[in-house]
Amino acid sequence: MPLFFFAVLALCYMSEVMAIRTSIRSGLQYAGKIAAENAYERPVLLAGSIEEDLINAVGAERLDRSVVESGSSGVHCEKSYMSMNTGIIELRASYHVYLPLPVFGNVVVPMEESCRVKGWTGYERAGFLAEDEETVYITETGMVYHRDYHCNYLELSARMVPAKIVEDLRNESQGKYYPCERCAHKGTGSGVYITDYGDRYHTSLSCSGLKRTIYAVPLSEAVGKGACSKCG
């Protein structure tokens, strides 16, 4: 009898895993359709937008009560990118599922769903995108590319410091902080905002200089950019 109940339990979890994989794959296809429609106006792919569209399609509540580890926040699409040469969008959703099976304990299994769509950008020129080409991460104004999506240079760590001591502070590269061209004219007040690796101080937390948009692109399309000294 114990073996019979164990087999039934394993079958139930197997069915749930197949159901969640189907749901995430469908959500990824839905996100790909939206990205394809917007490809002409926005020829780059935002991983955060793909994740948001996928979660909206599947349902955050469905993911939160599923076997996906961390629920809706456990699905990541940071490896997704679009080729600016061909308009081909490569979508990848990675996550982990946990199986609380008796005897074996909690088993965590990595999973990944993927699909490829063509952006609505016109004729496709073949031969530009290699099947196994490495994905790197760039910003709108950055001069380097990053191999690690969670590189410290990409993840801004803003904090407030007293304005009267900012001239004496140094960033992680031992550089000074200078007034931000966007918000310094509004006055410093009693406190300003700085980041560990930036070289500007800001008077407003909502300043665009404290926000960073990250794009995932094939390495071959990071033309003119050098490798990050920390993760490259």
Side-chain angles (χ1 to χ4, degrees):
M1 288 297 291
L3 291 177
F4 172 76
F5 285 117
F6 178 79
V8 171
L9 182 62
L11 184 61
C12 291
Y13 276 114
M14 186 179 300
S15 299
E16 170 62 8
V17 170
M18 293 302 297
I20 202 65
R21 291 196 64 181
T22 301
S23 298
I24 292 179
R25 192 179 298 114
S26 298
L28 197 62
Q29 292 172 350
Y30 171 79
K33 179 182 178 182
I34 295 178
E37 293 175 353
N38 297 329
Y40 182 78
E41 296 180 353
R42 189 177 62 188
V44 289
L45 197 67
L46 300 178
S49 297
I50 297 299
E51 291 177 6
E52 183 179 352
D53 291 337
L54 187 157
I55 292 172
N56 288 338
V58 178
E61 183 181 354
R62 168 72 175 99
L63 290 170
D64 290 339
R65 58 182 174 81
S66 69
V67 293
V68 176
E69 191 174 35
S70 301
S72 57
S73 61
V75 181
H76 305 287
C77 300
E78 60 191 39
K79 294 182 180 179
S80 302
Y81 63 86
M82 180 173 68
S83 169
M84 289 182 284
N85 287 321
T86 64
I88 294 177
I89 302 173
E90 187 78 27
L91 299 174
R92 298 175 184 172
S94 57
Y95 56 99
H96 291 77
V97 297
Y98 65 92
L99 306 174
L101 297 175
V103 181
F104 298 103
N106 290 337
V107 179
V108 179
V109 182
M111 310 289 286
E112 182 176 279
E113 311 301 332
S114 63
C115 70
R116 176 179 289 189
V117 298
K118 174 68 172 66
W120 295 3
T121 56
Y123 177 69
E124 174 186 339
R125 291 175 291 171
F128 285 91
L129 183 62
E131 186 72 24
D132 56 349
E133 189 169 356
E134 182 182 5
T135 302
V136 295
Y137 307 97
I138 62 174
T139 61
E140 291 178 305
T141 58
M143 299 303 294
V144 299
Y145 63 81
H146 306 264
R147 285 189 164 89
D148 183 4
Y149 185 77
H150 300 288
C151 176
N152 289 335
Y153 288 114
L154 290 176
E155 294 188 334
L156 298 179
S157 52
R159 67 182 187 278
M160 176 181 278
V161 297
K164 61 184 179 181
I165 68 169
V166 69
E167 293 186 0
D168 300 325
L169 299 178
R170 297 293 183 270
N171 59 26
E172 290 293 332
S173 302
Q174 298 306 307
K176 294 182 63 176
Y177 291 99
Y178 300 95
C180 170
E181 297 83 356
R182 299 180 180 90
C183 65
H185 65 279
K186 299 178 181 179
T188 57
S190 61
V192 294
Y193 300 93
I194 62 174
T195 61
D196 291 338
Y197 293 92
D199 60 357
R200 296 289 188 271
Y201 63 82
H202 308 264
T203 60
S204 173
L205 189 59
S206 60
C207 176
S208 59
L210 284 173
K211 300 180 184 299
R212 181 162 292 177
T213 302
I214 304 172
Y215 303 108
V217 299
L219 179 58
S220 62
E221 295 187 9
V223 179
K225 297 182 183 291
C228 171
S229 59
K230 192 173 185 68
C231 66

